[in-house]
Amino acid sequence: MPSSKMVPANGKISIAPSLLSADLFDLKQDIRRVEEAGADWLHVDVMDGNFVPNLSFGPALVASLNGRTKLPLDVHLMVQEPARFVESFAKAGADVITIHLEARDNVRATLEKIKALGVFAGVSIKPDTKPQALAPYMDLLDLILVMSVYPGFGGQAFLPGSPEQIQGVREVIRQSGRPVWLEVDGGINKDTAALAARAGADALVAGSAIFKAADPVLALKQIRQAASDI
Ligand code: DX5
Ligand code: ZN
């Protein structure tokens, strides 16, 4: 079962490099670099040009990674109708499938579908969505992805309201009494990693701060260090 790979790294923060900022001509080399640097998951951003004003990857990319890397594949669906696509991403080898609370499809039914496929189920919230809106789904969730930028593009700045948003989600998780991952996505670098970790994140996505750095291995290690020194 794919989701058995998602083991909490014993108190250590998990780092998920986002392939959106990788060099697609040299994707293999970029993936080997972050594996060597100790990345925990690979984050795959899926955009439909509708839920967000951009296009990116589909199930074919996930299928091409499946079996070629030991890292769990963390698939973030920024799409208006995720229910149509969850099966193809599960078959392609996704370990986590995260949908947006703000998307058009029925959230509960889509999460049930993801779980029935044997994949970890996640929900993401945009910066203006209140953490309390997650409460009705806590029984089904394995992961919550807090957006610390408005989704759609890599390379944006971490929004100043994000720590408060992360704390709010942490409180919703605490009240549920369930073991749910809290992942934060957008504008994570060695400065903002500490803010997110201090607010309660246990996994961080980072795209441009890793792959656009002169030394991606060093950049990943600095992010992890900053998030551990809190
Ligand atoms: C934004 C995506 C992010 C993005 C993060 O819509 O969901 O995963 O790749 O990129 P950085 O780390 O550059 O903000
Ligand atoms: Zn993402």
Side-chain angles (χ1 to χ4, degrees):
M1 195 126 110
S3 57
S4 61
K5 284 210 236 164
M6 307 293 301
V7 184
N10 103 78
K12 170 179 94 114
I13 200 134
S14 292
I15 309 288
S18 166
L19 298 182
L20 193 63
S21 294
D23 177 354
L24 298 184
F25 186 66
D26 247 333
L27 188 57
K28 181 174 172 182
Q29 176 178 279
D30 269 0
I31 290 176
R32 295 297 176 241
R33 274 197 188 126
V34 294
E35 286 173 343
E36 176 203 326
D40 298 281
W41 311 341
L42 286 179
H43 186 81
V44 181
D45 285 306
V46 177
M47 304 181 185
D48 67 350
N50 184 8
F51 183 76
V52 290
N54 197 5
L55 291 166
S56 60
F57 311 127
L61 176 70
V62 175
S64 74
L65 302 174
N66 191 18
R68 262 81 167 253
T69 174
K70 287 207 272 298
L71 300 181
L73 302 173
D74 172 30
V75 175
H76 176 194
L77 297 185
M78 286 163 276
V79 307
Q80 198 63 269
E81 296 178 8
R84 287 163 58 200
F85 301 108
V86 294
E87 188 169 356
S88 44
F89 281 102
K91 286 194 172 139
D95 295 281
V96 187
I97 298 178
T98 296
I99 62 169
H100 265 270
L101 195 71
E102 307 87 356
R104 197 177 295 142
D105 287 337
N106 183 283
V107 172
R108 176 161 287 273
T110 312
L111 292 173
E112 281 169 349
K113 197 164 170 179
I114 295 170
K115 293 195 78 88
L117 290 159
V119 175
F120 257 36
V123 160
S124 183
I125 54 169
K126 296 206 274 189
D128 299 334
T129 301
K130 296 273 170 276
Q132 208 50 43
L134 295 159
Y137 309 106
M138 294 308 291
D139 58 315
L140 286 172
L141 289 178
D142 298 301
L143 179 144
I144 294 169
L145 179 66
V146 176
M147 292 308 301
S148 37
V149 298
Y150 289 94
F153 299 91
Q156 304 181 76
F158 185 83
L159 291 168
S162 304
E164 198 184 330
Q165 184 81 340
I166 297 163
Q167 284 163 9
V169 171
R170 178 48 75 200
E171 179 56 20
V172 172
I173 295 174
R174 195 193 62 74
Q175 283 170 6
S176 78
R178 294 198 59 249
V180 178
W181 285 93
L182 198 174
E183 186 178 24
V184 175
D185 185 7
I188 295 292
N189 55 38
K190 61 178 168 25
D191 304 317
T192 57
L195 300 175
R198 204 174 295 136
D202 42 33
L204 300 175
V205 176
S208 51
I210 293 177
F211 290 114
K212 305 288 188 206
D215 183 345
V217 172
L218 179 66
L220 192 152
K221 289 183 175 167
Q222 285 176 334
I223 290 171
R224 184 192 297 294
Q225 191 58 48
S228 314
D229 286 348
I230 53 165

